[in-house]
Every structure is written in structure tokens, then in C-alpha cells.
Amino acid sequence: MKIAMVSEHASPLATLGGVDAGGQNVHVAELSGALADRGHQVTVYTRRDDASQPVRVPLRAGVEVVHVDAGPARAVPKDEIFPYMGTFASVLAAEWFVDRPDVVHAHFWMSGHAALEAVAQVQARTGGVRIPVVQTFHALGVVKRRHQGAADTSPEEREWVEPAVGRSVDQVVATCSDEAFELKALGVPLHRISVVPCGVDVSLFTPDGPVEERNRPVRVLTASRLVQRKGVGTTIAALAELVHDGRDVELVVVGGAGVAGLDLTDDPEYQRLDALARSLGVRDHVTFRGQLRQQDMPAVYRSADVVVCAPWYEPFGIVPLEAMACGRPVVASSVGGLIDTVVEDATGLHVPPRDEDAVAVAVAMLLDEPERREALGAAGRKRAETKYTWQKVAADSERVYDRLVAGSVSGTAAGSTSASGATRSRPSRTGRSVRPAQSNERTAR
């Protein structure tokens, strides 16, 4: 099967840990590789953000990354990319007219918008059967707005384009049960929602192997992009409680600069967290590591007594899976995908979001009970091996693709209209009609 993966801002080649480089990059790379292992041919389309990038880059056997010229060939924050999606869609359509995929799997709402437009263009030119489109959102704007309010920097078009994408594609793959409920509320029919989680590389992330040296007797680890909603500040405040209770504990924070092109120390979120640690009197107990390669992370996980994941909200969250695969207990916010992956008192402990007192109590409990930590870690490893391998995720995804390819029909998804059509007719918040952005850029590959 020829599979087109569309991931407009999250390249599988990107360095992880930056503001727009995280779980989605890992998901696209690992799922593509696992599908190739099952005999499929996968092409990943992502926006060119560096003029020196070749048009086509082999990622591994059976997987090729295509850099699409849409907008400036430099890093652009993902919330500013939507105006270039018209050009992105035209490039996809030109590619697929020549080399038609059997199925398209779009990642993030803008990718879905571009994929639907490209598929419509191909069908208009050929008059043939519509290419099935699968959508994984990775995050929903309605949830983001609920938790971030005015701090949400999403473009206004997301408010109506994202639900239209969900209602227009052939199948939405939600990564957790909580997301499936959110999609239903957005009007996506239940029969067009499948739940397939993210995965973890259980051959890379293992309990056995090198262990990074500690600076103090006890280590707590958190790993995420440095954006406020990830809750690193909550974890620092919890650490302060532990230190003030007399524990000689260090907190290691892995994650890169939150603004493209900045060094870690120049990043506003790092500066905020640094100031917070100083104000709480624990700056010498906190180490900011910046971005680390995936290959370096297992040794860091193994060095930790407890891994804390305390986001305000989390569509899925790969870090808990990596920690569990390394045999480490997890203290996690009871939000989003973390509710599914971390099993209360079996692989870790759940705490309310934005509650440093609860995080401190949970971590202290685990630090005081080494046998319990070991049992939770062992159970976490077993859960990762049985439910969250990329091989299993690829097999589940393949079943979704097979069903759609076998039942392909001409025209748009049954009972729906294209997302681009919905966008053309939707008024903006100012009352003006808003159309998909058209670009004068020359389509190039």
C-alpha cells in the first residue's frame, strides 16, 4: 500500500524539544517506520523550513520525507503557517496526480485541511475514485482554548476549519478515549472515530542499559517542550516543597528553547522557570538540560527515581510511555491521554492538574517506598510492551486504512462536505467572509 503522511509543521527529521517539535514528530517518524516494516511504502510530506534541505530525504527503508515549498524556507511558528496551506495543498495535488497514494493520513488540523483540498483537486482532474483521508489531530483547538484562554495563539480560522476537517475526512484516529468524546461533541460521527494510541520504541527505551550519573542522592525528571501549559512550573514548585521538607533531591528538566532560533537561556519560558526556581530557593536543585537526542534519553530516564508529567492538559503524551518502558514510575496529571496510559496505583499515580501540593505528596510517597516504585516500574514496562509498541500501533492503523481502501467511494466522505468548502462560507469573528488563504507563490517541489 502507498501511504501519504501529511505533517505540515512536524517533520520526522526535526530535533525534538523545541516549541513546535515534540510528540507529533516522534509519532509520524515511528508510525511511518513501523508501517514500512509491514511492507508499505510511506511518503511523509512536511513544509520546508530550511533552504538547504533537499527535496527528498530517505528516512529509512520504505520511508521518504518530501520537503514542500510553501511559505518562506525558514522556521515559522506553527500558529502562523495557515496562510501557506493553499500552496501546500497544490503541491500535494501535483504529487498525487502523478503518483497516487492509496490512502492519506494527515496529522494536525492544518495538514487535514491541506490534504482534503489536495484530494479534491486530484479527483476534479481525474474524475476517479476519491483518495481516502485519515486524520489524527494530536491536539484540538477547543481543548487548547479551554485551558489557555487568551494565551491561545491559534489562528482564528482554526475555530471552524478544525471541526470541518473532522466531519469531512473518512476516518478520525483519536489517540485516547478523552479525545474521542471531544470529537463527538464537535459533530464527528462515532462510526468515523477510531481510537489508536501513540506508541513507544521498547527496544530503545528499556530498563536495562547505561544510567546517567546523578548530582544528588534522589532524582526527579520531567521532559517536555518548554511551554507553560506543560506544567514544568508546577513540578518546580513541588520540588521546593520536597527540598524544604529536608530531602536532598534534584530535578532534571529536559526540553529545548520555546522560541525558534533562541538559545535556552534566551528563551522567555526558561527565564520564567529560572526565576521561579530562584524565588523558591531551589535553583541549585534544578538542572535545565535543553534538547537531547532520542538516543540519549533512555540513560536519563533510568537515572530518575520518579518521572513527573504535570501538564495542564495533554492530548496524549509520549513521555510517560518512554518512562514506563524504562521501568520508571510516573506521577501524571489526570488529563487527556495520561488517563489512559498511566494506570492509577499500577504504573504510577494520578494528580489533579496545576496542583503542586498533590505532585509533592505523590512524589514523596514514591520516594519513601522503593519496593512500590520498583513494582510500578515493572508494571509500566509490561504495559508498554503489551499495549503501546509501534508495531501494534501500525497494525491497528493498517486495519483502518484497509477498511477505507476496500470501501472507497467517489465523492467526499459520506454525509459531509470538504473542509475547504466549510471554510469559504464561514464568517469571521469580525463578520467578514473568510476564505482559505491564496498564495501567489509558485508551486515547486
Side-chain angles (χ1 to χ4, degrees):
M1 187 185 300
K2 288 183 179 179
I3 302 167
M5 292 280 180
V6 184
S7 183
E8 93 293 320
H9 77 274
S11 170
L13 302 171
T15 302
L16 302 184
V19 66
D20 291 333
Q24 183 176 328
N25 305 72
V26 174
H27 187 113
V28 172
E30 295 289 351
L31 175 58
S32 297
L35 287 166
D37 288 340
R38 297 180 66 83
H40 301 292
Q41 179 183 334
V42 184
T43 304
V44 182
Y45 296 90
T46 192
R47 199 188 73 84
R48 182 194 299 278
D49 61 7
D50 185 333
S52 66
Q53 291 168 331
V55 175
R56 298 179 181 273
V57 180
L59 181 63
R60 44 155 296 167
V63 183
E64 183 178 55
V65 178
V66 175
H67 291 115
V68 174
D69 289 310
R74 56 174 173 79
V76 175
K78 69 174 182 285
D79 288 334
E80 299 175 15
I81 290 177
F82 185 74
Y84 309 117
M85 287 299 98
T87 299
F88 197 96
S90 296
V91 175
L92 296 180
E95 283 271 340
W96 298 344
F97 180 73
V98 174
D99 188 12
R100 178 190 175 97
D102 297 300
V103 65
V104 175
H105 191 162
H107 297 264
F108 204 58
W109 68 279
M110 287 184 285
S111 290
H113 173 74
L116 285 167
E117 180 62 34
V119 164
Q121 290 180 28
V122 171
Q123 188 178 21
R125 292 179 66 181
T126 63
V129 174
R130 178 184 185 275
I131 304 169
V133 180
V134 177
Q135 174 71 27
T136 297
F137 283 105
H138 294 276
L140 290 171
V142 64
V143 179
K144 187 176 181 183
R145 287 192 301 275
R146 185 183 306 150
H147 290 275
Q148 293 190 236
D152 179 13
T153 57
S154 300
E156 67 173 356
E157 292 89 348
R158 184 176 188 176
E159 184 176 345
W160 58 88
V161 173
E162 185 171 75
V165 168
R167 294 190 293 264
S168 301
V169 296
D170 298 87
Q171 195 77 11
V172 178
V173 172
T175 56
C176 66
S177 54
D178 184 68
E179 183 185 358
F181 288 114
E182 296 283 355
L183 289 165
K184 181 177 181 294
L186 291 176
V188 180
L190 280 176
H191 71 275
R192 282 202 262 131
I193 302 173
S194 301
V195 177
V196 180
C198 299
V200 63
D201 184 346
V202 295
S203 63
L204 173 62
F205 294 94
T206 65
D208 302 316
V211 179
E212 184 177 82
E213 186 177 349
R214 302 180 182 188
N215 296 318
R216 294 182 183 272
V218 177
R219 172 176 281 192
V220 175
L221 170 70
T222 189
S224 73
R225 291 178 288 134
L226 289 192
V227 291
Q228 191 172 7
R229 73 169 181 85
K230 290 293 186 177
V232 178
T234 300
T235 307
I236 292 174
L239 170 78
E241 294 189 27
L242 297 172
V243 171
H244 296 157
D245 284 343
R247 296 178 185 270
D248 191 6
V249 55
E250 67 173 327
L251 172 64
V252 174
V253 179
V254 176
V259 177
L262 290 184
D263 291 330
L264 180 63
T265 54
D266 293 328
D267 177 67
E269 180 62 7
Y270 164 80
Q271 293 170 358
R272 188 186 73 84
L273 295 171
D274 176 72
L276 174 64
R278 292 181 188 280
S279 69
L280 295 172
V282 293
R283 184 60 183 87
D284 59 335
H285 288 261
V286 182
T287 302
F288 292 92
R289 297 291 301 276
Q291 296 179 10
L292 295 180
R293 301 180 306 164
Q294 281 288 90
Q295 298 93 319
D296 298 327
M297 284 302 298
V300 181
Y301 281 118
R302 296 183 196 115
S303 71
D305 295 288
V306 180
V307 176
V308 176
C309 302
W312 301 356
Y313 68 95
E314 186 61 71
F316 184 79
I318 288 180
V319 168
L321 288 186
E322 294 175 346
M324 288 160 54
C326 289
R328 292 301 177 265
V330 180
V331 172
S333 298
S334 53
V335 296
L338 306 188
I339 299 172
D340 288 358
T341 55
V342 180
V343 180
E344 172 66 18
D345 208 23
T347 68
L349 300 175
H350 282 134
V351 294
R354 306 175 79 164
D355 189 337
E356 61 261 29
D357 294 338
V359 173
V361 169
V363 172
M365 190 181 303
L366 295 180
L367 294 180
D368 289 340
E369 301 181 41
E371 291 183 359
R372 187 181 186 187
R373 289 204 310 272
E374 185 175 347
L376 294 176
R381 173 65 188 183
K382 183 176 181 180
R383 184 168 175 79
E385 289 179 315
T386 56
K387 291 184 174 293
Y388 294 105
T389 66
W390 283 112
Q391 291 73 24
K392 185 177 188 306
V393 173
D396 291 344
S397 300
E398 183 186 76
R399 280 190 282 273
V400 174
Y401 304 158
D402 283 340
R403 186 170 68 251
L404 294 178
V405 171
S408 290
V409 294
S410 60
T412 58
S416 65
T417 58
S418 73
S420 57
T423 304
R424 280 191 290 268
S425 62
R426 176 76 184 210
S428 75
R429 291 175 183 145
T430 62
R432 296 190 301 269
S433 176
V434 175
R435 294 177 175 271
Q438 302 297 316
S439 173
N440 293 323
E441 297 164 4
R442 182 170 54 89
T443 298
R445 297 190 298 278

